[in-house]
Each structure stands twice: as structure tokens, then as C-alpha cells.
Amino acid sequence: AKNIKYDDNLFEKLNDSKYIPLESENQKDIFRNFIEKKAVCEGYSNLYHYLLNSSNIKNEFISGNAKTFYDFRNYEFNHTNKHAWNAVFINNHWILVDTTWASANSEITENYYDVKPERLILTHFPNDSKWQLMKNLITKDEFKNSPFLDNFYFEKGFRELPKINSDNKFIYIYIKKNPNKNWLVSFKFENENGVFERLICKLKENKDYKIYYTEKNNIPKKTIIRLDLTDFNEEKQTLLKYENIG
């Protein structure tokens, strides 16, 4: 992942419905990927597949679809969100690896080298359902309609999905306390014009959860609630904000 860069130009070509994807076949040419040091997800996964085979490590190339914060609304399975990743058999069990998403940022995201199946299924749907690696498999419709949550959320120490419930007056968002850091959590909601506005919440806590709550009449009946995280460095007194986490 450190030696291969994502080929944005090829990605744009492959997403062009008028483009005949001959170059997609070249993604299977692992030596081309290695020499040119660029690829799209298929190239990353094929190269990783080859390297593991060369080391006699049992593995599988997985094809399917992925979703991000920018396309999860009205999600449809199509060529623009096709994706590829791998499964590797280590210590008598399969683990899931996405070398493409691991190298998406300037630093390697090691969390994508052994992603828990119940977390990867939030963003990755394999064509072959057995590679969900879960006891209770989900359907395409369930994947389409499920909320988006970036794996960054778990990478930074959060251990559970956020939970939302309500009563007659309030909406409650439960965030499991992060043992690693006192991350600042904030929310925005999408207004009728498709613009995200700050969601003003009150906070209460119990032993395990931080509970953010707001009156129902503060937001539209049908809306999207966005989760953002801010890393507050107490020693340096600096803030680093991460948006569109979920």
C-alpha cells in the first residue's frame, strides 16, 4: 500500500459509461501495477493476491461494491461503486483486508488489514455472500438501506455503532465511551434545502455511554444526521476536525 498510488485518471475513465474498459483488464497485470506504481482497487487487490500466493499464504480476491458518505443516499449497485478487496487465511481463520482503502490517506490505515466482518459490511458488500464472514448474512436491500459509518470511527477507539432511539419529545444518540481518548463528538442535520446545519444537543452520561439528546421539533421528520469527530489535543491546545464520519 505504501508503494502504489491510486490511479485517479483510470478511475474516471472506468466510470465513464462511454469508455470501453480495456484498461480494466490491464489491472490484472500485476507487473504493470508494480512498475508504474499506480492502480485502482482491482490492481491493488490482484497485486496483494499475487504476493500472498508467492508466499504460500492462502487468500482470496473478493469483488463487490462499496459505499461512502457521498453516495450512501439512494444507493444503487452499479459500475461506479464496484470495488475489490481480499480475504487472507491466517491462524486457521479468515480475515478481511482492503489495501486500497488502507492507503487512501497520507498514512497507512492499519485497521484495514484485519477488519471485523460486522464493521466492513457497513461499507463493503461482496458479490459472493460467503465473504461477508458473518453468521447472519445481510441482503442487498439491507446494505442499501443501512446507515454509513466510516471505519475511521473504530480505528480511533470507538467500539460500538452509535445507537439512536426516541420518545414522545426527544431523540437520543448513544455513543459508547471511547477508552483511548476524549474525542469531541458533534452532529449536523440535513435541512429541507439539502444543507447540513449544526444540531444543538444536550449531553448526559452514564457509566458506559455519552447520550446526546435534542427535541424532535429541532429537526425535520425525515432527515440525515451526520456525525463529526474532533481530536482535542489538551497538551498542545489544538483541534483537528474529521467530518462526514457517519
Side-chain angles (χ1 to χ4, degrees), residues 158 177 191-192 195 228 245:
F158 293 92
K177 289 183 177 178
N191 65 23
E192 292 84 351
V195 177
D228 298 332
I245 303 303

Side-chain angles (χ1 to χ4, degrees), residues 220-235:
K221 289 184 177 180
K222 290 186 177 181
T223 187
I224 292 173
I225 296 178
R226 190 181 92 185
L227 184 151
D228 298 332
L229 296 175
T230 301
D231 181 6
F232 174 56
N233 188 314
E234 189 172 358
E235 181 180 347

Side-chain angles (χ1 to χ4, degrees), residues 56-74:
N56 295 316
I57 299 174
K58 186 177 179 181
N59 72 98
E60 291 286 340
F61 174 95
I62 302 174
S63 58
N65 296 75
K67 66 180 174 182
T68 69
F69 178 83
Y70 301 100
D71 65 6
F72 80 95
R73 285 173 284 190
N74 303 314

Side-chain angles (χ1 to χ4, degrees), residues 196-232:
F196 280 96
E197 297 182 18
R198 181 187 173 195
L199 179 59
I200 299 175
C201 296
K202 293 182 179 180
L203 174 65
K204 59 183 179 180
E205 301 184 32
N206 61 27
K207 179 182 177 182
D208 298 316
Y209 292 92
K210 290 187 175 182
I211 306 166
Y212 301 83
Y213 62 102
T214 187
E215 291 190 18
K216 285 184 174 181
N217 58 16
N218 287 337
I219 60 176
K221 289 184 177 180
K222 290 186 177 181
T223 187
I224 292 173
I225 296 178
R226 190 181 92 185
L227 184 151
D228 298 332
L229 296 175
T230 301
D231 181 6
F232 174 56

